[in-house]
Amino acid sequence: MSTWVRFQHNHQTKFGIASDGEITTHEGEMFGSSTATGETVSQNEVTLLTPCVPTKLLALWNNFHATSEKTGLPQPGHPWYFVKTPNSYAAANTTIKKPRICNGKVLFEGELGIVIGRPCKDVSVVDAPDFIFGYTCVNDVTAFEYLFNEKAFSHWTRAKCFDGFGVIGPGITTGIEPDTLVIKTFLEGDGQMQERQNYPVSDMIYSPCEIVSKLSCDMTLNPGDIIACGTSVGAGAMKDGWTVRVSIEGVGDLVNVYSET
């Protein structure tokens, strides 16, 4: 098991494997051939970037039995998903800012993200693991007021794609089995820590391998693309000045501050 990160150090963008507070830098390609350079740097000396730069971030909706039961929605016959645009990508430790035009709530949604490692098209469920590089944390931020404010059209793109609304990181963990993972989301501020989400991957309607297989039949998935597996019950509004933490043991902690100013 390894955790890969991208970062800036001495005005240079680099990547490597993070462990015990240090990063062993590599050269080459994260999703191809890479070798260790022999250089190590402290994580305290770098600025983390998004762990990769996806050509697309696909995000599922209504992919958990608990959510489907709560909302009364039917279980999808094929994964329901939307696209988050590149302007929305944001890294760990950045500030999630409420857009000036928003008057309503801005929601957090803690999710597991699948990171594609090889060009992937029309793959089977059995072969899907060969195309998954690893897993990351995702906060699928949503301006809820725009989602269903018009009866004739649901504004998924508008609500989900404001700048900084696709938070991913801090790294990509490889060599891990996702089925036993648990996603937790915490809000922290004013001396409080509130656990708002705590749900297992095992409650997914479509498992990570099924997701990759089915979406690869719709479109080519490229190395570095991310699929957010959807969220379960407990997603809610962030609080001004508070920290939101998406925590997946074995994968990492994605930590950001939310600001309304």
Side-chain angles (χ1 to χ4, degrees):
M1 185 173 70
S2 300
T3 299
W4 292 84
V5 294
R6 285 176 66 247
F7 59 94
Q8 279 194 334
H9 183 243
N10 292 335
H11 307 290
Q12 293 182 309
T13 297
K14 301 180 180 181
F15 74 98
I17 295 176
S19 179
D20 297 326
E22 290 193 329
I23 301 170
T24 301
T25 63
H26 281 60
E27 58 186 4
E29 297 182 4
M30 184 185 295
F31 302 111
S33 177
S34 68
T35 56
T37 64
E39 175 194 20
T40 60
V41 294
S42 169
Q43 292 189 47
N44 294 328
E45 298 175 0
V46 308
T47 299
L48 288 178
L49 306 173
T50 58
C52 55
V53 184
T55 66
K56 51 190 170 291
L57 170 54
L58 307 174
L60 270 67
W61 181 52
N62 193 34
N63 189 42
F64 283 84
H65 292 98
T67 304
S68 180
E69 291 170 6
K70 182 178 180 179
T71 60
L73 291 169
Q75 294 187 13
H78 183 86
W80 296 352
Y81 64 95
F82 51 90
V83 178
K84 293 183 82 90
T85 49
N87 64 287
S88 73
Y89 303 162
N93 305 320
T94 57
T95 299
I96 301 169
K97 295 184 179 181
K98 184 175 185 176
R100 290 184 179 180
I101 64 169
C102 290
N103 296 309
K105 296 177 180 180
V106 177
L107 309 185
F108 62 84
E109 298 180 24
E111 306 187 14
L112 176 70
I114 305 165
V115 183
I116 300 299
R118 296 167 50 195
C120 180
K121 177 63 179 172
D122 293 328
V123 305
S124 68
V125 175
V126 172
D127 291 335
D130 295 335
F131 295 85
I132 297 173
F133 181 78
Y135 296 89
T136 191
C137 303
V138 177
N139 187 352
D140 173 18
V141 182
T142 307
F144 186 72
E145 65 191 278
Y146 299 117
L147 198 51
F148 305 116
N149 66 323
E150 294 191 64
K151 292 183 179 180
F153 186 79
S154 297
H155 287 281
W156 286 94
T157 301
R158 186 183 187 193
K160 298 281 190 175
C161 293
F162 287 98
D163 292 351
F165 272 27
V167 194
I168 50 180
I172 305 167
T173 300
T174 63
I176 190 170
E177 294 296 329
D179 296 341
T180 60
L181 298 175
V182 174
I183 296 91
K184 299 180 181 180
T185 308
F186 301 88
L187 291 183
E188 304 170 6
D190 293 341
Q192 304 177 50
M193 184 175 73
Q194 303 174 358
E195 181 182 275
R196 302 295 297 275
Q197 292 187 288
N198 185 331
Y199 65 90
V201 166
S202 60
D203 189 48
M204 285 184 182
I205 295 170
Y206 291 103
S207 70
C209 289
E210 290 172 327
I211 293 168
V212 169
S213 175
K214 288 182 177 295
L215 268 59
S216 78
C217 294
D218 293 349
M219 65 186 76
T220 299
L221 304 174
N222 299 311
D225 283 354
I226 294 178
I227 305 171
C229 293
T231 201
S232 188
V233 294
M238 293 181 285
K239 300 182 180 182
D240 183 31
W242 283 43
T243 294
V244 57
R245 178 187 301 268
V246 179
S247 180
I248 307 175
E249 186 175 357
V251 177
D253 284 58
L254 177 61
V255 180
N256 301 84
V257 173
Y258 172 65
S259 175
E260 296 186 347
T261 58

